Amino acid sequence: MKRYKKWLYLILILVATIACAVPAAVYARNNADKLQIRRDSRMSPVIMIPGSSASVNRFDTLVQKINQRDRRNHSLLKVYVKENGQMIFTGRIRRN
């Protein structure tokens, strides 16, 4: 009878381990896939500030070259700040 209980406990522990491990593995796999997709889709913003004698269009050529190299149009938002503090925005930042 003792041997029977030993095997029964061993089988119960094994079943409980599998019952916990399988959902945990599935969750971890799905979560890793979601994080990978999110990481691949995010881009770090680049803020370029022209010098005091440059205009708001100072970096247009650079942005064109970046877009040609990547073969996609990156979002571009230009902000012109007047001496009185008024800001003029041109361009836009796409969603996501």
Side-chain angles (χ1 to χ4, degrees):
M1 191 70 168
K2 268 187 169 179
R3 203 168 216 207
Y4 174 74
K5 283 186 178 181
K6 232 182 199 180
W7 281 105
L8 182 61
Y9 288 135
L10 184 62
I11 290 172
L12 286 175
I13 290 172
L14 184 62
V15 168
T17 302
I18 291 172
C20 292
V22 171
V26 170
Y27 171 78
R29 181 56 148 164
N30 289 340
N31 195 32
D33 290 343
K34 287 178 186 176
L35 289 174
Q36 181 67 31
I37 290 168
R38 185 183 303 161
R39 186 191 70 82
D40 289 343
S41 68
R42 285 198 175 167
M43 297 178 65
S44 299
V46 176
I47 299 172
M48 296 182 274
I49 302 171
S52 60
S53 62
S55 74
V56 72
N57 300 317
R58 167 68 177 92
F59 299 109
D60 286 352
T61 306
L62 175 63
V63 171
Q64 287 173 355
K65 287 182 180 183
I66 290 171
N67 285 336
Q68 286 173 354
R69 178 178 252 177
D70 288 350
R71 300 193 188 279
R72 58 182 158 179
N73 287 330
H74 295 280
S75 296
L76 178 64
L77 177 66
K78 295 181 183 181
V79 181
Y80 177 71
V81 181
K82 293 185 173 186
E83 287 183 21
N84 65 3
Q86 180 185 5
M87 294 188 288
I88 300 172
F89 299 91
T90 56
R92 67 184 183 92
I93 297 176
R94 289 189 305 271
R95 279 183 119 178
N96 299 325

Coordinates of all heavy atoms in Angstrom, one line a residue:
M1 N 0.8 -1.2 0.0 CA 0.0 0.0 0.0 C 0.9 1.3 0.0 O 0.5 2.2 -0.6 CB -0.9 0.0 1.2 CG -2.0 1.0 1.2 SD -3.2 0.6 -0.1 CE -4.4 1.6 0.3
K2 N 2.0 1.2 0.7 CA 2.9 2.4 0.8 C 3.4 2.7 -0.6 O 3.5 3.9 -1.0 CB 4.1 2.1 1.7 CG 3.8 2.6 3.1 CD 5.1 2.4 3.9 CE 5.0 3.1 5.2 NZ 6.1 3.0 6.0
R3 N 3.8 1.7 -1.3 CA 4.4 1.9 -2.7 C 3.3 2.5 -3.6 O 3.6 3.3 -4.4 CB 4.8 0.5 -3.2 CG 5.8 0.6 -4.2 CD 6.4 -0.8 -4.5 NE 7.8 -0.6 -4.7 CZ 8.4 -1.4 -5.5 NH1 7.9 -2.5 -5.9 NH2 9.7 -1.2 -5.7
Y4 N 2.1 2.1 -3.4 CA 1.0 2.6 -4.2 C 0.8 4.1 -4.0 O 0.7 4.9 -4.9 CB -0.3 1.9 -3.9 CG -1.5 2.5 -4.6 CD1 -1.7 2.3 -5.9 CD2 -2.4 3.2 -3.8 CE1 -2.9 2.8 -6.5 CE2 -3.6 3.7 -4.4 CZ -3.8 3.5 -5.8 OH -4.9 4.1 -6.4
K5 N 0.9 4.6 -2.7 CA 0.8 6.0 -2.4 C 2.0 6.8 -2.9 O 1.8 7.9 -3.4 CB 0.7 6.1 -0.8 CG -0.6 5.8 -0.3 CD -0.6 6.1 1.2 CE -2.0 5.9 1.8 NZ -2.1 6.2 3.2
K6 N 3.2 6.2 -2.9 CA 4.3 6.8 -3.4 C 4.2 7.2 -4.9 O 4.4 8.3 -5.3 CB 5.6 5.9 -3.2 CG 6.7 6.6 -2.5 CD 7.9 5.6 -2.5 CE 8.8 6.0 -1.4 NZ 10.0 5.1 -1.3
W7 N 3.7 6.2 -5.6 CA 3.5 6.4 -7.0 C 2.4 7.4 -7.3 O 2.5 8.2 -8.2 CB 3.2 5.0 -7.7 CG 4.5 4.2 -8.0 CD1 4.9 3.2 -7.3 CD2 5.5 4.5 -9.0 NE1 6.1 2.7 -7.8 CE2 6.5 3.5 -8.8 CE3 5.6 5.5 -9.9 CZ2 7.6 3.5 -9.6 CZ3 6.8 5.5 -10.7 CH2 7.7 4.5 -10.6
L8 N 1.4 7.3 -6.5 CA 0.3 8.2 -6.7 C 0.7 9.6 -6.4 O 0.4 10.5 -7.2 CB -0.9 7.8 -5.7 CG -2.1 8.7 -5.8 CD1 -2.8 8.6 -7.2 CD2 -3.1 8.3 -4.7
Y9 N 1.5 9.9 -5.4 CA 2.0 11.2 -5.1 C 2.9 11.7 -6.3 O 2.9 12.8 -6.7 CB 2.8 11.3 -3.8 CG 1.9 11.2 -2.6 CD1 2.2 10.4 -1.5 CD2 0.7 12.0 -2.5 CE1 1.4 10.3 -0.4 CE2 -0.1 11.9 -1.4 CZ 0.2 11.1 -0.3 OH -0.6 11.0 0.8
L10 N 3.7 10.8 -6.7 CA 4.7 11.1 -7.8 C 3.9 11.5 -9.1 O 4.2 12.5 -9.7 CB 5.6 10.0 -8.1 CG 6.7 10.2 -9.1 CD1 7.6 11.3 -8.7 CD2 7.5 8.9 -9.4
I11 N 2.9 10.8 -9.4 CA 2.1 11.0 -10.6 C 1.3 12.4 -10.4 O 1.2 13.2 -11.3 CB 1.1 9.9 -10.8 CG1 1.9 8.7 -11.3 CG2 0.0 10.3 -11.9 CD1 1.1 7.4 -11.5
L12 N 0.8 12.6 -9.2 CA 0.1 13.9 -8.9 C 1.0 15.1 -9.0 O 0.6 16.1 -9.6 CB -0.6 13.8 -7.5 CG -1.8 13.0 -7.4 CD1 -2.3 12.9 -5.9 CD2 -2.9 13.5 -8.3
I13 N 2.2 14.9 -8.5 CA 3.2 16.0 -8.7 C 3.5 16.3 -10.1 O 3.6 17.4 -10.6 CB 4.4 15.7 -7.8 CG1 4.1 15.8 -6.3 CG2 5.6 16.7 -8.1 CD1 5.2 15.4 -5.4
L14 N 3.7 15.2 -10.9 CA 4.0 15.3 -12.3 C 2.9 16.0 -13.1 O 3.1 16.9 -13.9 CB 4.3 13.9 -12.9 CG 4.8 13.9 -14.3 CD1 6.1 14.6 -14.5 CD2 4.9 12.4 -14.7
V15 N 1.7 15.6 -12.8 CA 0.5 16.2 -13.5 C 0.4 17.6 -13.1 O 0.1 18.5 -13.9 CB -0.8 15.4 -13.1 CG1 -2.0 16.1 -13.6 CG2 -0.7 14.0 -13.7
A16 N 0.6 18.0 -11.8 CA 0.4 19.3 -11.4 C 1.5 20.2 -12.0 O 1.3 21.3 -12.5 CB 0.5 19.4 -9.9
T17 N 2.7 19.7 -12.1 CA 3.8 20.4 -12.8 C 3.5 20.7 -14.3 O 3.7 21.8 -14.7 CB 5.1 19.6 -12.7 OG1 5.4 19.4 -11.3 CG2 6.3 20.4 -13.3
I18 N 3.0 19.7 -14.9 CA 2.7 19.8 -16.4 C 1.5 20.8 -16.5 O 1.5 21.7 -17.4 CB 2.4 18.5 -17.0 CG1 3.6 17.6 -17.1 CG2 1.7 18.6 -18.4 CD1 3.4 16.2 -17.5
A19 N 0.5 20.7 -15.6 CA -0.6 21.6 -15.7 C -0.2 23.0 -15.5 O -0.9 23.9 -16.0 CB -1.7 21.2 -14.6
C20 N 0.8 23.3 -14.7 CA 1.3 24.7 -14.5 C 2.2 25.1 -15.6 O 2.2 26.3 -16.0 CB 2.0 24.8 -13.1 SG 0.8 24.6 -11.8
A21 N 3.1 24.2 -16.0 CA 4.1 24.5 -17.0 C 3.6 24.8 -18.4 O 4.1 25.8 -19.1 CB 5.1 23.4 -17.1
V22 N 2.6 24.1 -18.8 CA 2.1 24.3 -20.2 C 1.4 25.7 -20.4 O 1.8 26.4 -21.3 CB 1.1 23.2 -20.6 CG1 0.4 23.5 -21.9 CG2 1.9 21.8 -20.7
P23 N 0.5 26.1 -19.5 CA 0.0 27.5 -19.7 C 1.0 28.5 -19.5 O 1.0 29.6 -20.2 CB -1.1 27.6 -18.6 CG -1.4 26.2 -18.2 CD -0.2 25.4 -18.5
A24 N 2.0 28.3 -18.6 CA 3.1 29.3 -18.4 C 3.9 29.4 -19.7 O 4.3 30.5 -20.1 CB 3.9 28.9 -17.2
A25 N 4.2 28.3 -20.3 CA 5.0 28.3 -21.5 C 4.3 29.0 -22.7 O 4.8 29.8 -23.4 CB 5.4 26.9 -21.9
V26 N 3.0 28.7 -22.8 CA 2.2 29.4 -23.8 C 2.1 30.9 -23.6 O 2.3 31.7 -24.5 CB 0.7 28.7 -23.9 CG1 -0.2 29.5 -24.8 CG2 0.8 27.3 -24.3
Y27 N 1.9 31.3 -22.4 CA 1.8 32.7 -22.1 C 3.2 33.4 -22.4 O 3.2 34.5 -23.0 CB 1.5 32.9 -20.6 CG 1.6 34.4 -20.2 CD1 0.6 35.3 -20.5 CD2 2.7 34.8 -19.5 CE1 0.7 36.6 -20.1 CE2 2.8 36.1 -19.1 CZ 1.9 37.0 -19.4 OH 2.0 38.3 -19.1
A28 N 4.2 32.8 -22.0 CA 5.6 33.4 -22.2 C 5.8 33.5 -23.7 O 6.4 34.5 -24.1 CB 6.6 32.5 -21.5
R29 N 5.5 32.5 -24.5 CA 5.7 32.6 -25.9 C 4.9 33.7 -26.5 O 5.4 34.4 -27.4 CB 5.3 31.2 -26.5 CG 5.6 31.2 -28.0 CD 7.0 31.5 -28.2 NE 7.4 30.8 -29.4 CZ 8.5 31.2 -30.0 NH1 9.2 32.2 -29.6 NH2 8.9 30.5 -31.1
N30 N 3.6 33.8 -26.2 CA 2.7 34.8 -26.7 C 3.2 36.2 -26.3 O 3.2 37.1 -27.1 CB 1.3 34.6 -26.3 CG 0.6 33.5 -27.0 OD1 1.1 33.0 -28.0 ND2 -0.4 33.0 -26.4
N31 N 3.6 36.3 -25.1 CA 4.1 37.6 -24.6 C 5.4 38.0 -25.3 O 5.6 39.2 -25.7 CB 4.3 37.5 -23.1 CG 4.5 38.9 -22.5 OD1 3.9 39.9 -22.9 ND2 5.3 39.0 -21.4
A32 N 6.3 37.1 -25.5 CA 7.6 37.4 -26.2 C 7.3 37.8 -27.6 O 7.9 38.7 -28.1 CB 8.5 36.1 -26.2
D33 N 6.3 37.1 -28.3 CA 6.0 37.5 -29.7 C 5.4 38.9 -29.7 O 5.8 39.7 -30.6 CB 5.0 36.6 -30.3 CG 5.6 35.2 -30.6 OD1 6.8 35.1 -30.6 OD2 4.8 34.2 -30.7
K34 N 4.6 39.3 -28.8 CA 4.0 40.6 -28.7 C 5.0 41.7 -28.5 O 5.0 42.7 -29.1 CB 2.9 40.7 -27.6 CG 1.6 40.0 -28.0 CD 0.6 40.1 -26.9 CE -0.6 39.2 -27.2 NZ -1.5 39.2 -26.1
L35 N 5.9 41.4 -27.5 CA 7.0 42.3 -27.2 C 7.9 42.5 -28.4 O 8.4 43.6 -28.7 CB 7.8 41.9 -26.0 CG 7.1 42.0 -24.7 CD1 7.9 41.3 -23.6 CD2 6.8 43.4 -24.3
Q36 N 8.2 41.5 -29.2 CA 9.0 41.6 -30.4 C 8.4 42.4 -31.4 O 9.0 43.3 -32.0 CB 9.3 40.2 -30.9 CG 10.2 40.2 -32.2 CD 11.6 40.6 -31.8 OE1 12.1 40.4 -30.7 NE2 12.3 41.3 -32.8
I37 N 7.1 42.3 -31.6 CA 6.4 43.1 -32.6 C 6.4 44.5 -32.2 O 6.6 45.4 -33.0 CB 4.9 42.6 -32.8 CG1 4.9 41.2 -33.5 CG2 4.1 43.6 -33.5 CD1 3.6 40.5 -33.4
R38 N 6.2 44.8 -30.9 CA 6.2 46.2 -30.4 C 7.6 46.8 -30.5 O 7.7 47.9 -30.9 CB 5.7 46.2 -28.9 CG 5.6 47.6 -28.4 CD 5.3 47.7 -27.0 NE 4.1 46.9 -26.6 CZ 3.7 46.5 -25.4 NH1 4.5 46.8 -24.4 NH2 2.6 45.9 -25.2
R39 N 8.6 46.0 -30.2 CA 9.9 46.6 -30.3 C 10.3 46.9 -31.8 O 10.9 47.9 -32.1 CB 11.0 45.6 -29.8 CG 12.4 46.1 -29.7 CD 13.4 45.1 -29.4 NE 13.6 44.1 -30.5 CZ 14.3 44.4 -31.6 NH1 15.0 45.5 -31.7 NH2 14.4 43.4 -32.5
D40 N 9.9 46.0 -32.7 CA 10.2 46.3 -34.1 C 9.4 47.5 -34.7 O 9.9 48.1 -35.6 CB 9.9 45.0 -34.9 CG 10.8 43.9 -34.7 OD1 11.9 44.1 -34.1 OD2 10.5 42.7 -35.0
S41 N 8.3 47.8 -34.1 CA 7.5 48.8 -34.7 C 7.8 50.2 -34.1 O 7.5 51.2 -34.7 CB 6.0 48.5 -34.5 OG 5.7 48.6 -33.1
R42 N 8.4 50.2 -33.0 CA 8.7 51.5 -32.4 C 9.9 52.1 -33.0 O 10.9 51.5 -33.3 CB 8.9 51.4 -30.9 CG 7.6 51.2 -30.2 CD 7.8 51.4 -28.7 NE 6.5 51.4 -28.1 CZ 6.3 51.3 -26.8 NH1 7.3 51.3 -26.0 NH2 5.1 51.2 -26.3
M43 N 9.9 53.4 -33.1 CA 11.0 54.2 -33.6 C 11.4 55.3 -32.6 O 10.5 55.8 -32.0 CB 10.7 54.8 -35.0 CG 10.5 53.7 -36.0 SD 10.0 54.5 -37.6 CE 11.6 55.3 -38.0
S44 N 12.6 55.5 -32.4 CA 13.0 56.6 -31.5 C 12.9 57.9 -32.2 O 13.4 58.0 -33.3 CB 14.4 56.3 -31.0 OG 14.5 55.1 -30.3
P45 N 12.3 58.9 -31.6 CA 12.3 60.2 -32.2 C 13.6 60.9 -32.2 O 14.5 60.7 -31.3 CB 11.3 61.0 -31.3 CG 11.4 60.3 -30.0 CD 11.7 58.9 -30.3
V46 N 13.9 61.6 -33.2 CA 15.1 62.4 -33.4 C 14.7 63.9 -33.4 O 13.9 64.3 -34.2 CB 15.9 62.0 -34.7 CG1 17.1 62.9 -34.8 CG2 16.3 60.6 -34.6
I47 N 15.3 64.6 -32.5 CA 15.0 66.1 -32.4 C 16.2 66.8 -32.9 O 17.3 66.7 -32.4 CB 14.6 66.5 -31.0 CG1 13.4 65.7 -30.5 CG2 14.4 68.0 -30.9 CD1 13.1 65.9 -29.1
M48 N 16.0 67.6 -34.0 CA 17.1 68.3 -34.6 C 16.8 69.8 -34.4 O 15.8 70.3 -34.8 CB 17.2 68.0 -36.1 CG 17.6 66.5 -36.3 SD 17.8 66.1 -38.0 CE 16.1 65.7 -38.5
I49 N 17.8 70.5 -33.9 CA 17.6 71.9 -33.6 C 18.7 72.7 -34.4 O 19.9 72.5 -34.2 CB 17.8 72.2 -32.1 CG1 16.8 71.4 -31.3 CG2 17.7 73.7 -31.9 CD1 17.0 71.5 -29.8
P50 N 18.3 73.5 -35.4 CA 19.2 74.2 -36.2 C 19.9 75.3 -35.4 O 19.4 75.8 -34.4 CB 18.4 74.8 -37.3 CG 17.0 74.9 -36.8 CD 16.9 73.7 -35.8
G51 N 21.1 75.7 -35.9 CA 21.8 76.8 -35.2 C 21.1 78.1 -35.3 O 20.0 78.2 -36.0
S52 N 21.6 79.1 -34.7 CA 20.9 80.4 -34.6 C 20.8 81.1 -36.0 O 19.8 81.9 -36.2 CB 21.6 81.4 -33.6 OG 22.9 81.6 -34.1
S53 N 21.6 80.8 -36.9 CA 21.6 81.5 -38.2 C 20.9 80.6 -39.3 O 20.8 81.0 -40.4 CB 23.0 81.8 -38.7 OG 23.7 80.6 -38.9
A54 N 20.4 79.4 -38.9 CA 19.7 78.5 -39.8 C 18.2 78.7 -39.8 O 17.7 79.2 -38.8 CB 20.1 77.1 -39.5
S55 N 17.6 78.2 -40.8 CA 16.1 78.3 -40.9 C 15.5 77.0 -40.4 O 16.1 76.0 -40.2 CB 15.6 78.7 -42.3 OG 15.8 77.6 -43.1
V56 N 14.1 77.0 -40.4 CA 13.4 75.8 -40.0 C 13.6 74.7 -41.1 O 13.3 73.5 -40.8 CB 11.9 76.2 -39.9 CG1 11.2 76.5 -41.2 CG2 11.1 75.1 -39.1
N57 N 14.0 75.1 -42.3 CA 14.3 74.1 -43.3 C 15.7 73.6 -43.4 O 16.1 72.9 -44.4 CB 13.9 74.7 -44.7 CG 12.4 75.2 -44.7 OD1 11.6 74.4 -44.2 ND2 12.2 76.4 -45.2
R58 N 16.5 73.8 -42.4 CA 17.9 73.5 -42.4 C 18.1 72.0 -42.6 O 19.1 71.6 -43.3 CB 18.5 73.9 -41.0 CG 19.8 73.3 -40.7 CD 20.9 73.9 -41.6 NE 22.2 73.5 -41.2 CZ 22.8 72.4 -41.8 NH1 22.2 71.7 -42.7 NH2 24.0 72.1 -41.4
F59 N 17.3 71.1 -42.1 CA 17.5 69.7 -42.2 C 16.7 69.0 -43.3 O 16.7 67.7 -43.3 CB 17.3 69.0 -40.9 CG 18.1 69.5 -39.8 CD1 17.6 70.4 -38.8 CD2 19.5 69.2 -39.7 CE1 18.4 70.8 -37.8 CE2 20.3 69.7 -38.7 CZ 19.8 70.5 -37.7
D60 N 16.1 69.7 -44.2 CA 15.3 69.1 -45.3 C 16.1 68.1 -46.1 O 15.6 67.0 -46.4 CB 14.6 70.2 -46.1 CG 13.5 70.9 -45.5 OD1 13.1 70.4 -44.4 OD2 13.0 71.9 -46.0
T61 N 17.3 68.5 -46.5 CA 18.1 67.6 -47.3 C 18.4 66.3 -46.6 O 18.4 65.2 -47.1 CB 19.4 68.3 -47.8 OG1 19.0 69.5 -48.4 CG2 20.2 67.4 -48.7
L62 N 18.8 66.4 -45.3 CA 19.1 65.2 -44.5 C 17.9 64.3 -44.4 O 18.0 63.1 -44.5 CB 19.6 65.7 -43.1 CG 19.8 64.6 -42.1 CD1 20.9 63.6 -42.6 CD2 20.1 65.1 -40.7
V63 N 16.7 64.9 -44.2 CA 15.5 64.1 -44.0 C 15.2 63.4 -45.3 O 14.8 62.2 -45.4 CB 14.3 64.9 -43.6 CG1 13.0 64.2 -43.6 CG2 14.6 65.4 -42.1
Q64 N 15.4 64.1 -46.5 CA 15.1 63.4 -47.8 C 16.1 62.2 -48.0 O 15.7 61.2 -48.5 CB 15.3 64.4 -48.9 CG 14.2 65.4 -49.0 CD 14.5 66.5 -50.0 OE1 15.6 66.6 -50.6 NE2 13.6 67.4 -50.3
K65 N 17.3 62.4 -47.6 CA 18.3 61.3 -47.7 C 18.0 60.1 -46.9 O 18.1 59.0 -47.3 CB 19.7 61.8 -47.5 CG 20.3 62.6 -48.5 CD 21.7 63.1 -48.3 CE 22.2 63.9 -49.4 NZ 23.6 64.3 -49.2
I66 N 17.5 60.4 -45.6 CA 17.1 59.3 -44.7 C 15.9 58.6 -45.3 O 15.9 57.3 -45.3 CB 16.8 59.9 -43.3 CG1 18.1 60.3 -42.6 CG2 16.1 58.8 -42.5 CD1 17.8 61.1 -41.4
N67 N 14.9 59.3 -45.8 CA 13.8 58.7 -46.4 C 14.1 57.8 -47.6 O 13.5 56.8 -47.9 CB 12.7 59.7 -46.7 CG 12.0 60.2 -45.5 OD1 11.9 59.5 -44.5 ND2 11.4 61.4 -45.6
Q68 N 15.1 58.3 -48.4 CA 15.5 57.5 -49.6 C 16.2 56.3 -49.2 O 16.0 55.2 -49.8 CB 16.4 58.4 -50.5 CG 15.7 59.5 -51.3 CD 16.7 60.4 -52.0 OE1 17.9 60.3 -51.8 NE2 16.1 61.3 -52.7
R69 N 17.0 56.4 -48.2 CA 17.8 55.2 -47.7 C 16.9 54.1 -47.1 O 17.1 52.9 -47.4 CB 18.9 55.6 -46.7 CG 19.7 54.5 -46.2 CD 20.7 54.9 -45.3 NE 22.0 54.8 -45.9 CZ 23.1 55.2 -45.4 NH1 23.2 55.8 -44.3 NH2 24.2 55.0 -46.1
D70 N 15.9 54.5 -46.3 CA 15.0 53.6 -45.7 C 13.9 53.2 -46.6 O 13.1 52.3 -46.2 CB 14.5 54.2 -44.4 CG 15.5 54.3 -43.3 OD1 16.6 53.7 -43.4 OD2 15.2 54.9 -42.2
R71 N 13.7 53.9 -47.6 CA 12.6 53.7 -48.6 C 11.2 53.8 -47.9 O 10.3 53.1 -48.2 CB 12.7 52.3 -49.3 CG 14.0 52.2 -50.1 CD 13.9 51.0 -50.9 NE 15.2 50.7 -51.6 CZ 15.7 51.4 -52.7 NH1 14.9 52.3 -53.2 NH2 16.8 51.1 -53.2
R72 N 11.1 54.7 -47.0 CA 9.8 55.0 -46.4 C 9.8 56.5 -45.9 O 10.9 57.0 -45.7 CB 9.5 54.1 -45.2 CG 10.5 54.1 -44.1 CD 10.2 53.2 -43.1 NE 11.4 52.8 -42.3 CZ 11.4 52.0 -41.3 NH1 10.3 51.5 -40.9 NH2 12.5 51.8 -40.7
N73 N 8.7 57.1 -45.8 CA 8.6 58.4 -45.4 C 8.4 58.5 -43.9 O 7.4 58.0 -43.4 CB 7.5 59.2 -46.1 CG 7.9 59.5 -47.5 OD1 9.0 59.6 -47.9 ND2 6.9 59.5 -48.4
H74 N 9.4 59.0 -43.2 CA 9.3 59.1 -41.7 C 8.4 60.4 -41.4 O 8.3 61.3 -42.2 CB 10.6 59.3 -41.1 CG 11.5 58.1 -41.3 ND1 11.4 57.0 -40.5 CD2 12.5 57.8 -42.1 CE1 12.2 56.1 -40.8 NE2 12.9 56.5 -41.9
S75 N 7.8 60.3 -40.3 CA 7.0 61.5 -39.9 C 7.9 62.7 -39.6 O 9.1 62.5 -39.2 CB 6.3 61.2 -38.5 OG 5.3 60.2 -38.7
L76 N 7.4 63.8 -39.9 CA 8.3 65.0 -39.7 C 7.4 66.2 -39.2 O 6.4 66.5 -39.8 CB 9.0 65.4 -41.0 CG 9.8 66.7 -41.0 CD1 11.0 66.5 -40.1 CD2 10.3 67.0 -42.4
L77 N 7.7 66.7 -38.1 CA 7.0 67.9 -37.6 C 8.0 69.0 -37.3 O 9.0 68.8 -36.6 CB 6.4 67.5 -36.2 CG 5.6 68.6 -35.5 CD1 4.4 69.1 -36.4 CD2 5.2 68.2 -34.1
K78 N 7.8 70.1 -38.0 CA 8.7 71.3 -37.8 C 8.0 72.2 -36.9 O 6.8 72.5 -37.0 CB 9.0 71.9 -39.2 CG 9.7 71.1 -40.1 CD 10.0 71.8 -41.4 CE 10.7 71.0 -42.4 NZ 10.9 71.7 -43.7
V79 N 8.8 72.8 -36.0 CA 8.2 73.8 -35.0 C 9.1 75.0 -35.2 O 10.3 75.0 -35.0 CB 8.3 73.3 -33.6 CG1 7.7 74.3 -32.6 CG2 7.6 71.9 -33.5
Y80 N 8.4 76.1 -35.5 CA 9.1 77.4 -35.6 C 8.6 78.2 -34.4 O 7.5 78.5 -34.2 CB 8.8 78.1 -36.9 CG 9.3 79.5 -37.1 CD1 10.7 79.7 -37.3 CD2 8.5 80.6 -37.0 CE1 11.2 80.9 -37.4 CE2 9.1 81.9 -37.1 CZ 10.4 82.1 -37.3 OH 11.0 83.3 -37.4
V81 N 9.6 78.7 -33.6 CA 9.3 79.5 -32.4 C 9.7 80.9 -32.7 O 10.8 81.2 -32.9 CB 10.0 78.9 -31.2 CG1 9.6 79.7 -29.9 CG2 9.7 77.4 -31.0
K82 N 8.7 81.8 -32.7 CA 8.9 83.2 -32.9 C 9.5 83.8 -31.6 O 9.4 83.2 -30.5 CB 7.6 83.9 -33.3 CG 7.1 83.5 -34.7 CD 5.9 84.3 -35.0 CE 5.5 84.1 -36.4 NZ 4.4 85.0 -36.9
E83 N 10.0 85.0 -31.8 CA 10.6 85.7 -30.6 C 9.6 86.0 -29.5 O 9.9 86.0 -28.3 CB 11.2 87.0 -31.1 CG 12.5 86.8 -31.8 CD 13.2 88.1 -32.2 OE1 12.9 89.2 -31.6 OE2 14.0 88.1 -33.1
N84 N 8.3 86.1 -29.9 CA 7.3 86.4 -28.9 C 6.8 85.1 -28.2 O 5.8 85.2 -27.4 CB 6.1 87.2 -29.5 CG 5.4 86.4 -30.6 OD1 5.7 85.3 -30.8 ND2 4.4 87.1 -31.2
G85 N 7.3 84.0 -28.6 CA 6.9 82.7 -28.0 C 5.9 81.9 -28.8 O 5.6 80.8 -28.4
Q86 N 5.3 82.6 -29.8 CA 4.3 81.9 -30.6 C 5.0 80.8 -31.4 O 6.1 80.9 -31.9 CB 3.7 82.9 -31.6 CG 2.6 82.2 -32.5 CD 2.1 83.2 -33.5 OE1 2.6 84.4 -33.6 NE2 1.1 82.8 -34.3
M87 N 4.3 79.6 -31.5 CA 4.9 78.5 -32.2 C 4.1 78.2 -33.5 O 2.8 78.2 -33.4 CB 4.9 77.2 -31.3 CG 5.9 77.4 -30.2 SD 6.1 75.8 -29.2 CE 4.5 75.7 -28.4
I88 N 4.7 77.9 -34.6 CA 4.1 77.6 -35.8 C 4.5 76.1 -36.2 O 5.7 75.8 -36.3 CB 4.5 78.5 -37.0 CG1 4.1 80.0 -36.6 CG2 3.8 78.1 -38.3 CD1 4.6 81.0 -37.5
F89 N 3.5 75.2 -36.3 CA 3.8 73.8 -36.6 C 3.5 73.6 -38.1 O 2.5 74.0 -38.6 CB 2.9 72.9 -35.8 CG 3.1 73.1 -34.3 CD1 2.4 74.0 -33.5 CD2 4.1 72.3 -33.7 CE1 2.6 74.1 -32.2 CE2 4.3 72.5 -32.3 CZ 3.6 73.4 -31.6
T90 N 4.4 72.9 -38.7 CA 4.2 72.4 -40.1 C 4.6 70.9 -40.1 O 5.5 70.4 -39.4 CB 5.0 73.1 -41.2 OG1 6.4 73.1 -40.8 CG2 4.6 74.6 -41.3
G91 N 3.9 70.1 -40.9 CA 4.1 68.7 -41.0 C 3.2 68.0 -39.9 O 2.4 68.6 -39.3
R92 N 3.5 66.7 -39.7 CA 2.7 66.0 -38.8 C 3.4 64.7 -38.3 O 4.4 64.3 -39.0 CB 1.3 65.6 -39.3 CG 1.4 64.6 -40.5 CD 0.0 64.3 -41.0 NE 0.1 63.3 -42.1 CZ -0.1 62.0 -41.9 NH1 -0.4 61.6 -40.7 NH2 0.0 61.2 -42.9
I93 N 3.0 64.1 -37.2 CA 3.5 62.9 -36.8 C 2.4 61.8 -36.9 O 1.3 62.0 -36.4 CB 4.0 63.0 -35.3 CG1 5.1 64.0 -35.2 CG2 4.4 61.6 -34.8 CD1 5.5 64.2 -33.8
R94 N 2.7 60.8 -37.7 CA 1.7 59.7 -37.9 C 1.5 58.9 -36.7 O 2.3 58.8 -35.8 CB 2.2 58.8 -39.1 CG 2.2 59.4 -40.4 CD 2.5 58.4 -41.5 NE 3.7 57.7 -41.3 CZ 4.9 58.1 -41.8 NH1 5.0 59.2 -42.4 NH2 6.0 57.3 -41.6
R95 N 0.3 58.3 -36.6 CA 0.0 57.5 -35.5 C 0.9 56.3 -35.4 O 1.4 55.8 -36.4 CB -1.4 57.0 -35.6 CG -2.5 57.9 -35.2 CD -3.8 57.3 -35.3 NE -4.4 57.2 -34.0 CZ -5.6 56.7 -33.8 NH1 -6.3 56.2 -34.7 NH2 -6.1 56.8 -32.6
N96 N 1.1 55.8 -34.2 CA 1.9 54.6 -33.9 C 3.3 54.7 -34.5 O 3.9 53.8 -34.9 CB 1.2 53.4 -34.5 CG -0.1 53.1 -33.9 OD1 -0.3 53.4 -32.7 ND2 -1.1 52.7 -34.7

